[in-house]
Amino acid sequence: MQALILHASVHLLSFGEIDMWTDPIVADIHKVREAIAASHDNDLKKIAAYFMAQQKVKAVSVVKRPVLPTPDELARASGSTKQA
């Protein structure tokens, strides 16, 4: 079987016959993640509490979801009526 080689202008990690491309941005994110985990003793509860506190301080939600209409609101908007 011929070796699979990914050509890129950045670093390559070699795993046997397969060379895998390493994205420098992803590598930086992994370093930051590892530093945050180490500073909280790799305790998931402490890490989660840290991020929740950061979210409150920055007053920005990590995930923003739109408010979905209820089935009744959808029915009214479409003009249909339900009979009970």
Side-chain angles (χ1 to χ4, degrees):
M1 183 173 170
Q2 191 175 15
L4 171 65
I5 300 174
L6 301 175
H7 297 281
S9 61
V10 293
H11 305 12
L12 291 173
L13 293 177
S14 180
F15 292 99
E17 293 183 2
I18 300 175
D19 289 334
M20 295 184 64
W21 176 61
T22 301
D23 186 325
I25 295 172
V26 173
D28 287 344
I29 291 169
H30 289 176
K31 287 179 189 175
V32 170
R33 182 190 63 196
E34 290 168 6
I36 291 170
S39 69
H40 293 91
D41 302 321
N42 293 310
D43 183 325
L44 187 56
K45 288 184 181 183
K46 290 179 183 179
I47 295 167
Y50 166 76
F51 282 116
M52 290 172 70
Q54 289 296 307
Q55 183 175 340
K56 286 180 183 177
V57 168
K58 296 182 181 191
V60 176
S61 295
V62 174
V63 176
K64 293 183 180 179
R65 295 187 178 116
V67 177
L68 299 177
T70 65
D72 290 337
E73 292 170 335
L74 287 173
R76 281 191 297 256
S78 69
S80 65
T81 56
K82 286 187 178 179
Q83 294 187 6

